Amino acid sequence: MNYKTFLNVLYVLLLLFVLRQIYYGQFAKKAVEGKLIAFFNPQSRFLIAFLSGMLILLGAYSITIKDYFGIVYLLSGIGFAYLSYQKIYIYDGGILYSTKFTRWENIKKWGYNEKTKNLEILTNFPKNPTRIIPLNINDKNEVLTIIKEKKRKKIDYENKHSLKGVLALRQIKEFR
């Protein structure tokens, strides 16, 4: 296998990865629960945007010189550009970012890492328990406040319903 064939296979795999991420993103949007509360732009992803632009230019150049494999480059660049500009959506049911919807009940811990400028969420998923969301420092307090409120409401709701269950059991026992 020569060098150009290897690169072509690599770019096809890259395109398949991008298409898979876009597909999972659409699937995640269908899993969203509740009303949209807020949305935020992630922190700047200049490098990804630059590389996407370079892929688009490479694709356009390849097409102009009659190398029709440039369509793969072009589509990969457009796909990466699309993926790099996804917003952070906060719904009544959870957080949607980067093809993943995380429900409030699945979040164990959360915090803002000042070093990396990322929102780090620890979930109860066994396979990938940590979610890292690149968050603008200007939006940090608002996002953390929303998560705290939603988690508190969820805990209050669960406690209220578990208390009703305990009271109902007491009434049944007293009735007997």
Side-chain angles (χ1 to χ4, degrees):
M1 182 185 307
N2 65 12
Y3 180 70
K4 186 174 180 178
T5 306
F6 175 74
L7 280 179
N8 287 345
V9 169
L10 191 65
Y11 280 113
V12 167
L13 291 174
L14 182 71
L15 177 63
L16 291 175
F17 172 76
V18 167
L19 292 174
R20 176 183 163 264
Q21 289 299 102
I22 291 172
Y23 172 76
Y24 282 154
Q26 297 303 318
F27 185 70
K29 286 178 183 176
K30 291 178 183 175
V32 166
E33 297 172 353
K35 185 177 76 168
L36 178 66
I37 296 172
F39 65 91
F40 303 94
N41 290 318
Q43 64 180 322
S44 177
R45 293 182 158 192
F46 176 76
L47 183 61
I48 293 175
F50 176 74
L51 293 175
S52 298
M54 295 305 290
L55 270 173
I56 291 170
L57 289 175
L58 177 65
Y61 175 73
S62 295
I63 291 171
T64 59
I65 61 170
K66 306 269 191 249
D67 180 10
Y68 294 106
F69 199 79
I71 293 172
V72 173
Y73 306 141
L74 189 67
L75 292 175
S76 296
I78 291 170
F80 262 117
Y82 172 76
L83 291 174
S84 69
Y85 288 107
Q86 290 183 347
K87 293 183 178 4
I88 303 162
Y89 296 99
I90 300 181
Y91 289 90
D92 283 332
I95 299 174
L96 174 66
Y97 177 71
S98 182
T99 72
K100 292 182 183 163
F101 182 69
T102 307
R103 290 180 177 78
W104 300 120
E105 60 264 14
N106 295 334
I107 296 175
K108 287 198 227 174
K109 293 182 183 180
W110 67 94
Y112 186 77
N113 187 333
E114 293 290 338
K115 264 187 180 177
T116 61
K117 306 228 183 323
N118 290 326
L119 173 65
E120 296 180 357
I121 298 174
L122 182 65
T123 65
N124 58 7
F125 298 131
K127 193 172 182 181
N128 291 326
T130 305
R131 299 271 333 263
I132 297 176
I133 300 174
L135 190 63
N136 277 327
I137 196 159
N138 301 336
D139 301 329
K140 172 183 90 165
N141 292 331
E142 189 175 354
V143 170
L144 291 174
T145 303
I146 292 171
I147 293 173
K148 187 186 258 184
E149 286 176 12
K150 288 297 177 182
K151 287 299 288 178
R152 185 180 304 134
K153 283 182 183 176
K154 182 70 181 161
I155 290 169
D156 289 345
Y157 177 79
E158 288 172 355
N159 288 341
K160 181 180 171 185
H161 285 291
S162 65
L163 182 62
K164 281 183 181 178
V166 169
L167 292 175
L169 284 174
R170 277 190 195 159
Q171 289 176 348
I172 291 171
K173 286 181 181 177
E174 289 173 3
F175 181 72
R176 288 183 182 176

